[in-house]
């Protein structure tokens, strides 16, 4: 009888060990950007986000003489202050890019900015202003550069970014990084290009991902980290898992007492 119980105890113990090993991820599955033969030559300028319809832009025009600038901005002369002063964010004029990619600026009228980078748009508007203002200065910022990080991360959610330069790893960092249950080799990125949703997969365990055109994020990108098989299986078990573990623990205790 004791031999039978000991045999079952050994089998039960082996099963528990196997379950624990199965739930553990290997280093290959967990470590980001593992070295390989790839040459890292990511150039951010190749992947700078472009202005899109429905973007909300802050466009501030300034010049040495604020009175000259007044007709070209919705900020009052007094609010604009001197060129060395920062304009309060609440006073900065915002413009929504329409469905055709245009914004309407004071005096300049309807200007198409969609498809340009922020720096290209600054240079374009500055050139248009030079016909009216000597040495004009233009600053443009995205007001709605928002990305969402969902799935197996510590703090999923949407984040508004003060700059358009944001990598996938930085976005994950803002969300508290992936949990140990996240699949690092198959991260999903959803991006809208010319009104169409596109889907891209990133293997963050490989160094070659640094060269991906999707390594840097664009406005309204959604990053999704899927759960690994262990997490999926655990979710299927639900509350039954805790009951099974409790029963297994009780059986181990009883067998230990009987076989003493």
């Amino acid at each position: 009888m004791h031999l039978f119980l000991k045999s079952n105890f050994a089998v039960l113990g082996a099963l528990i060990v196997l379950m624990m090993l199965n739930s553990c991820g290997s280093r290959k599955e967990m470590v980001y950007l593992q070295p390989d033969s790839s040459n890292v030559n990511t150039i951010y300028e190749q992947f700078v986000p472009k202005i899109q319809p429905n973007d909300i832009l802050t466009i501030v025009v300034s010049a040495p003489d604020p009175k000259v600038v007044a007709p070209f901005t919705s900020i009052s002369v007094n609010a604009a202050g001197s060129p060395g002063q920062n304009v309060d964010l609440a006073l900065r004029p915002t413009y929504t890019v329409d469905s055709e990619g245009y914004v309407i600026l004071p005096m300049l009228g309807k200007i198409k900015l969609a498809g340009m980078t922020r720096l290209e748009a600054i240079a374009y508007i500055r050139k248009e202003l030079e016909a009216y203002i000597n040495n004009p200065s233009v600053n443009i910022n995205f007001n709605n550069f928002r990305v969402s990080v969902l799935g197996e991360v510590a703090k999923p959610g949407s984040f508004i970014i003060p700059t358009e330069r944001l990598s996938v790893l930085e976005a994950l960092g803002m969300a508290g990084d992936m949990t140990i249950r996240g699949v690092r080799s198959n991260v999903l990125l959803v991006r809208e290009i010319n009104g169409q949703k596109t889907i891209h997969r990133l293997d963050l365990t490989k160094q070659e991902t640094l060269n991906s055109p999707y390594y840097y994020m664009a406005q309204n990108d959604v990053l999704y980290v899927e759960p690994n098989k262990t997490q999926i299986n655990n979710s299927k078990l639900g509350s039954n898992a805790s009951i099974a573990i409790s029963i297994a623990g009780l059986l181990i205790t009883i067998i230990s007492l009987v076989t003493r």
Side-chain angles (χ1 to χ4, degrees):
M1 177 66 175
H2 285 185
L3 183 61
F4 174 77
L5 291 173
K6 286 181 179 180
S7 176
N8 280 278
F9 176 69
V11 172
L12 183 60
L15 288 173
I16 292 173
V17 171
L18 286 173
M19 290 174 64
M20 292 177 65
L21 290 175
N22 187 54
S23 65
C24 297
S26 68
R27 182 182 185 280
K28 188 175 181 180
E29 295 173 331
M30 303 302 297
V31 177
Y32 291 123
L33 306 178
Q34 297 166 45
D36 53 34
S37 59
S38 302
N39 292 320
V40 179
N41 56 6
T42 305
I43 301 176
Y44 169 71
E45 284 70 23
Q46 295 177 348
F47 312 119
V48 178
K50 305 291 181 67
I51 296 171
Q52 303 175 8
N54 300 317
D55 276 346
I56 301 173
L57 306 175
T58 295
I59 303 176
V60 177
V61 178
S62 58
D65 183 358
K67 293 181 180 180
V68 175
V69 173
F72 298 90
T73 178
S74 59
I75 304 176
S76 69
V77 174
N78 293 332
S82 65
Q85 294 177 331
N86 292 324
V87 180
D88 189 281
L89 288 174
L91 298 175
R92 293 184 178 183
T94 58
Y95 304 87
T96 300
V97 183
D98 67 21
S99 60
E100 296 180 346
Y102 290 87
V103 296
I104 300 177
L105 299 179
M107 297 296 290
L108 295 182
K110 200 171 183 180
I111 292 180
K112 188 168 186 177
L113 297 181
M116 297 184 185
T117 66
R118 186 179 68 88
L119 293 181
E120 288 171 345
I122 287 174
Y124 179 73
I125 293 175
R126 190 174 185 277
K127 185 176 180 180
E128 293 293 308
L129 287 169
E130 285 176 346
Y132 309 94
I133 303 173
N134 289 326
N135 195 28
S137 177
V138 179
N139 188 34
I140 299 177
N141 285 302
F142 289 95
N143 266 27
N144 66 326
F145 199 97
R146 180 193 305 269
V147 298
S148 298
V149 186
L150 307 174
E152 285 296 332
V153 291
K155 298 180 293 184
S158 294
F159 307 92
I160 296 178
I161 314 302
T163 173
E164 71 270 22
R165 183 172 179 140
L166 180 75
S167 71
V168 168
L169 292 180
E170 288 170 327
L172 288 172
M174 294 177 64
D177 200 3
M178 292 190 207
T179 68
I180 198 170
R181 299 175 296 275
V183 178
R184 287 151 173 76
S185 60
N186 195 28
V187 176
L188 175 71
L189 186 143
V190 180
R191 174 172 297 176
E192 184 172 308
I193 300 176
N194 297 325
Q196 298 293 321
K197 291 288 192 297
T198 60
I199 295 176
H200 313 278
R201 299 278 179 175
L202 298 170
D203 185 348
L204 296 182
T205 66
K206 293 184 177 179
Q207 185 172 285
E208 65 184 24
T209 299
L210 291 172
N211 295 327
S212 169
Y214 305 103
Y215 176 68
Y216 286 102
M217 302 191 72
Q219 60 271 47
N220 303 314
D221 274 1
V222 177
L223 203 62
Y224 172 68
V225 180
E226 65 181 55
N228 60 21
K229 292 180 180 178
T230 301
Q231 177 66 4
I232 293 173
N233 291 336
N234 288 344
S235 66
K236 290 179 181 178
L237 291 173
S239 59
N240 292 333
S242 58
I243 297 173
I245 292 171
S246 299
I247 293 174
L250 180 60
L251 287 174
I252 291 172
T253 302
I254 293 172
I255 291 172
S256 299
L257 292 172
V258 172
T259 54
R260 281 182 180 177

